[in-house]
Amino acid sequence: MCPLETALQQPQFLLLVGVPVASALLLVQCLRWHCPRRLLRPCWKPDSHGEPVPPSLPPPEFEVPGQGAPATLPEMAAFYQELHTPTQGQTVTRQLMHKLLVFLAREVDHRGGCLLLQDMGISLVIPPGAVAVGRQERVSLILVWDLSDAPPLSQAQGLVSPVVACGPHGASFLKPCSLTFKHCAQQPGHACTYSSNTPLLDAKTWRPLGRPGAHTFLDECRIQLSHFSLYTCVLEAPVGQAARKWLQLAVFCSPLAPGQTHLQLRVYFLNNTPCALQWAVTNEQPHGGRLRGPCQLFDFTGARGDQCLKLKYISEGWENVDDSSCQLVPHLHIWHGKCPFRSFCFRRKAANENEDCLALTNEIIVTMHTFQDGLETKYMEILRFQASEEESWATPPPVSQLPLCNRLPPELFEQLRMLLEPNSISGNDWRRLASHLGLCGMKIRFLSCQRSPAAAILELFEEQNGSLQELHSLMTSMERLDCASVIQSYLNMMPRSSPAVAHSPSRENQELELDEKL
């Protein structure tokens, strides 16, 4: 072959090989621009590292979804479409794109509206006039049960609230909307709200929304939104001050059945927020685990002490299967809000080991102590558990079947809380209201341990779908004319036909009633 022919064939070879390679590289770059910048991580699930659980009694956990390829554009479009499709007033819990989400969506017009996640303590209020007359906007409120979406935290920072998303991302209205969710910081002034101005499937860029305490009150965050995005609350104590938050200790187990040889108790260390407890309830449902007794409050400090859980007593006829009677939970697992739990497994003793105790094994009594390492003498919580074969465990109704509850206007709620909170010598305070709502003495004593018993009672009234007129009558019968006057002043500003004045039991009108009140 002559040199001239060789010179002519080299450009042809480069064209045949180089053009396809360049096209492939360009296609890969385009896909990187349009697809999520990271693989989605598994759902928020309890930390179970180091728990000595028998193989026959595995700890209840959500299965970790397989890590597949990055989401395609049609998959992302379907994800957002499902989140923004009206849910007919129902709160939906579903796993989408490897994320466990609790969400509610509806259409809102110029009259405004309210979205309330059932039993989660999270609400979004669209005020009247926020949407132009003649238009309808779809809005959604989303609780993200996926810790991979939370802000990256240092050892000094603690997560004290859920991650909440308002959708569609970037939406803005003619008037500011109000987002409210619970936090568990002991000092509201130490809690700082964070925002990530990113879509739910993108990598998050969290930034402080303002100075600490700017949007936090006694036990909740209230944010006026100029546009929709992601929000959460982080505890950041000033230098030289102790950072503390409230935990709720929840004990779960399955019913004790006749002939049952083993029983497993699980103690969850949860942020003291409604959605954290509901996550544990949801996590236990597939395995038959149910909440045993009321949750107990625990004062958890940012000092780097791991949480200890010690088994102190087991009733006769039972024995501890685990090798150790003491288990530890790493400090950061609790401080960063990972909802860890620890479990103990017990079994009945064989008849030939203890004949006298055979008749007593139809019930079990357990006492446990829990405290932060090094702080046992300063603060310790005693957990007691008792169950018998004769007890009946009623199955609670599914959350999806519960109707929406009425919600008191925030200003009126706060006024009533301040009036009912101080303890009266005669007991004519929040305790009298609790009695009128059907609470027994034990439940009232439990509520007295809450940070705001009056707020808890008012929230219970909301869940019972009471109207403002009914609350006014209650206050009048209690001779709390100061509270009745506050309610009457609010009623005087509302039309006579308003559902806040006369509560209607119709399911189809409940959503409109909630909007009219707000």
Side-chain angles (χ1 to χ4, degrees):
M1 183 177 296
C2 64
L4 180 59
E5 294 178 2
T6 304
L8 290 175
Q9 288 180 355
Q10 287 179 350
Q12 295 175 353
F13 176 77
L14 292 176
L15 287 174
L16 291 175
V17 177
V19 171
V21 171
S23 300
L25 293 175
L26 182 60
L27 178 60
V28 169
Q29 186 64 30
C30 290
L31 289 175
R32 290 181 60 190
W33 288 339
H34 288 87
C35 292
R37 284 172 280 180
R38 62 173 176 81
L39 292 177
L40 298 176
R41 286 189 271 183
C43 294
W44 184 11
K45 64 185 184 66
D47 164 64
S48 58
H49 176 72
E51 291 187 356
V53 180
S56 59
L57 293 169
E61 295 180 352
F62 288 117
E63 292 184 1
V64 179
Q67 297 287 4
T72 63
L73 290 178
E75 290 175 337
M76 295 171 62
F79 172 85
Y80 289 116
Q81 181 178 2
E82 183 162 3
L83 284 181
H84 304 322
T85 301
T87 58
Q88 309 304 320
Q90 300 296 316
T91 298
V92 179
T93 302
R94 191 167 299 165
Q95 185 169 309
L96 301 173
M97 301 286 291
H98 307 311
K99 294 180 182 292
L100 185 65
L101 306 174
V102 182
F103 60 93
L104 175 71
R106 59 165 293 183
E107 290 186 343
V108 178
D109 57 17
H110 68 280
R111 295 174 296 177
C114 176
L115 285 76
L116 177 67
L117 292 183
Q118 188 69 41
D119 298 326
M120 302 296 174
I122 304 172
S123 64
L124 174 65
V125 176
I126 314 295
V131 178
V133 177
R135 290 184 58 85
Q136 283 193 334
E137 300 289 346
R138 288 188 176 184
V139 294
S140 58
L141 180 61
I142 307 160
L143 165 62
V144 185
W145 270 339
D146 186 349
L147 274 187
S148 64
D149 287 328
L153 302 175
S154 67
Q155 292 184 348
Q157 294 175 311
L159 190 66
V160 290
S161 82
V163 174
V164 181
C166 299
H169 168 72
S172 58
F173 296 84
L174 300 178
K175 291 184 179 180
C177 303
S178 178
L179 173 66
T180 303
F181 54 90
K182 298 291 185 179
H183 71 78
C184 62
Q186 289 197 23
Q187 295 292 333
H190 295 172
C192 182
T193 52
Y194 275 67
S195 173
S196 177
N197 191 19
T198 53
L200 190 54
L201 290 180
D202 285 10
K204 311 303 182 292
T205 54
W206 291 98
R207 294 184 177 88
L209 196 58
R211 60 180 178 81
H215 304 94
T216 51
F217 299 86
L218 180 66
D219 64 344
E220 67 181 12
C221 301
R222 302 174 196 165
I223 308 174
Q224 297 297 313
L225 305 181
S226 58
H227 68 282
F228 283 1
S229 188
L230 280 82
Y231 305 91
T232 192
C233 189
V234 175
L235 183 59
E236 300 175 342
V239 177
Q241 297 189 30
R244 312 178 81 90
K245 69 176 182 178
W246 289 108
L247 300 182
Q248 51 184 335
L249 310 180
V251 180
F252 287 82
C253 78
S254 303
L256 182 59
Q260 183 177 345
T261 59
H262 288 74
L263 181 72
Q264 187 184 53
L265 297 183
R266 292 173 292 277
V267 181
Y268 285 77
F269 299 85
L270 309 168
N271 280 353
N272 188 32
T273 58
C275 59
L277 178 59
Q278 288 302 316
W279 177 87
V281 171
T282 303
N283 189 49
E284 289 281 337
Q285 282 178 351
H287 310 276
R290 303 178 194 173
L291 182 63
R292 187 64 180 176
C295 297
Q296 295 183 230
L297 290 181
F298 187 84
D299 177 12
F300 192 79
T301 177
R304 299 177 60 182
D306 295 338
Q307 188 74 15
C308 303
L309 182 64
K310 280 189 176 183
L311 180 63
K312 302 298 290 187
Y313 172 79
I314 316 174
S315 58
E316 294 183 354
W318 292 85
E319 61 184 352
N320 182 21
V321 175
D322 302 315
D323 296 332
S324 173
S325 61
C326 180
Q327 299 190 30
L328 293 178
V329 185
H331 168 263
L332 287 182
H333 290 190
I334 300 177
W335 194 238
H336 288 174
K338 295 184 178 181
C339 293
F341 71 86
R342 287 295 179 264
S343 64
F344 286 100
C345 184
F346 310 104
R347 67 183 172 200
R348 300 178 193 260
K349 291 183 178 179
N352 56 1
E353 292 184 13
N354 196 336
E355 296 284 352
D356 296 334
C357 294
L358 182 61
L360 301 177
T361 56
N362 63 339
E363 72 172 4
I364 181 172
I365 302 174
V366 177
T367 301
M368 294 171 286
H369 293 178
T370 184
F371 51 90
Q372 279 189 265
D373 191 19
L375 301 175
E376 181 175 5
T377 57
K378 185 175 182 180
Y379 194 90
M380 178 180 66
E381 188 66 36
I382 301 176
L383 304 176
R384 290 189 176 91
F385 169 85
Q386 180 176 359
S388 63
E389 294 176 359
E390 290 76 17
E391 292 179 348
S392 60
W393 294 52
T395 303
V399 173
S400 59
Q401 296 180 2
L402 294 175
L404 286 173
C405 65
N406 284 339
R407 185 171 174 84
L408 297 174
E411 300 84 0
L412 179 60
F413 186 98
E414 189 64 22
Q415 284 180 294
L416 293 175
R417 185 193 69 79
M418 293 177 64
L419 291 172
L420 293 170
E421 194 80 81
N423 288 341
S424 170
I425 298 177
S426 62
N428 194 13
D429 45 44
W430 64 268
R431 294 168 292 181
R432 182 72 56 82
L433 179 58
S435 298
H436 279 284
L437 297 181
L439 271 64
C440 63
M442 183 180 68
K443 293 182 179 179
I444 293 176
R445 287 194 297 273
F446 168 71
L447 287 176
S448 66
C449 299
Q450 302 292 320
R451 283 172 293 169
S452 177
I457 295 302
L458 291 173
E459 289 173 356
L460 176 63
F461 178 82
E462 292 175 338
E463 292 173 2
Q464 294 182 357
N465 287 313
S467 67
L468 289 182
Q469 191 176 36
E470 293 168 347
L471 186 58
H472 180 271
S473 299
L474 271 176
M475 294 302 174
T476 303
S477 64
M478 291 169 51
E479 299 183 353
R480 286 301 301 259
L481 301 183
D482 52 347
C483 297
S485 175
V486 170
I487 300 172
Q488 187 62 52
S489 299
Y490 189 88
L491 290 173
N492 292 339
M493 296 186 298
M494 304 187 68
R496 289 287 182 183
S497 59
S498 172
V501 179
H503 176 67
S504 170
S506 174
R507 281 287 299 266
E508 58 269 20
N509 291 331
Q510 284 178 356
E511 192 170 330
L512 180 60
E513 292 172 5
L514 201 60
D515 299 341
E516 294 286 348
K517 286 198 315 180
L518 294 165

